Amino acid sequence: MTSSVIAPRCTRLAHGDRGGPIDGLRDLRAGARARVRTVLAAVPVPRPWSMNVWVDRLEAWRGREIDLVPVEYRPGRPSGAWQARPDYDLIAYVEHTSALHQDHIIAHELAHVLCAHTGTCQMSESEAAQLAPDLAPQALSHLLTRVTTGTDEYEAELIAVLLMSAATSEPPAVQPGASGRAADQARRLAALLG
């Protein structure tokens, strides 16, 4: 039986690039782990965990602001996106989901930022405006239209899992929103990926 629910996805995944082997997987994993160690050494996760506090620290470390913008999720649409603006980074994430899921979406997009992934524009500004009509055109311009390779997506997801694993490691528990079970699942997923 197939589900009619379409799961949220990252906008960066190019159509047709959703599977197949990833070249240099071992090196990619090692690089992701090293990048996370470097970032967490410079910007430790706050206790209790708070994505907003961590993003504030990350901004200070990078010397560049990061604006987090909640957006409504619609089936078949992305759950998160990142746009590098001239003087700050803009990250959109789904607003009506759990706090842990929001944090993971943000961590995934931050991984794209930390890796300086680039993409190509896939639609016009007017097409992008149809996806998020409530955002001002200048804030939306190409926000939801950047795509990267499967390798970049795998790297961003791995880094997000590693970051969230560090954030949800015991003690203390993630505050607010995550149960011990969710934290355990994040750690198990990190162990599988890395």
Side-chain angles (χ1 to χ4, degrees):
M1 176 201 257
T2 58
S3 172
S4 62
V5 176
I6 300 172
R9 62 181 170 80
C10 176
T11 60
R12 298 184 180 310
L13 187 59
H15 296 293
D17 194 20
R18 296 183 179 200
I22 295 175
D23 293 330
L25 193 55
R26 184 180 304 242
D27 291 340
L28 186 68
R29 287 179 178 168
R33 285 191 294 275
R35 188 178 307 271
V36 169
R37 278 193 301 274
T38 299
V39 169
L40 291 180
V43 187
V45 295
R47 300 293 184 196
W49 167 249
S50 165
M51 178 59 83
N52 287 328
V53 170
W54 195 71
V55 167
D56 289 344
R57 292 176 182 179
L58 190 62
E59 288 173 325
W61 179 64
R62 292 179 64 232
R64 184 172 163 91
E65 288 187 28
I66 301 167
D67 285 346
L68 303 177
V69 179
V71 295
E72 183 179 334
Y73 173 71
R74 296 181 200 156
R77 298 291 185 220
S79 61
W82 159 54
Q83 181 188 36
R85 304 293 291 167
D87 54 347
Y88 67 98
D89 290 296
L90 182 62
I91 292 177
Y93 64 94
V94 173
E95 66 181 333
H96 296 295
T97 190
S98 71
L100 184 63
H101 188 215
Q102 287 176 339
D103 286 356
H104 184 85
I105 293 165
I106 294 166
H108 178 100
E109 298 306 326
L110 286 171
H112 286 299
V113 171
L114 295 170
C115 294
H117 289 156
T118 58
T120 57
C121 181
Q122 296 294 303
M123 65 178 67
S124 70
E125 192 170 311
S126 63
E127 289 170 321
Q130 290 176 342
L131 292 175
D134 297 333
L135 291 180
Q138 46 287 33
L140 180 65
S141 176
H142 300 122
L143 174 63
L144 303 175
T145 62
R146 314 238 2 132
V147 295
T148 57
T149 66
T151 302
D152 287 350
E153 279 307 307
Y154 181 86
E155 182 178 34
E157 191 61 19
L158 177 57
I159 289 172
V161 167
L162 293 170
L163 288 171
M164 290 309 299
S165 180
T168 60
S169 63
E170 300 292 337
V174 174
Q175 297 292 328
S179 67
R181 182 175 160 194
D184 288 343
Q185 289 172 344
R187 281 190 293 278
R188 281 185 295 199
L189 184 57
L192 285 173
L193 292 175

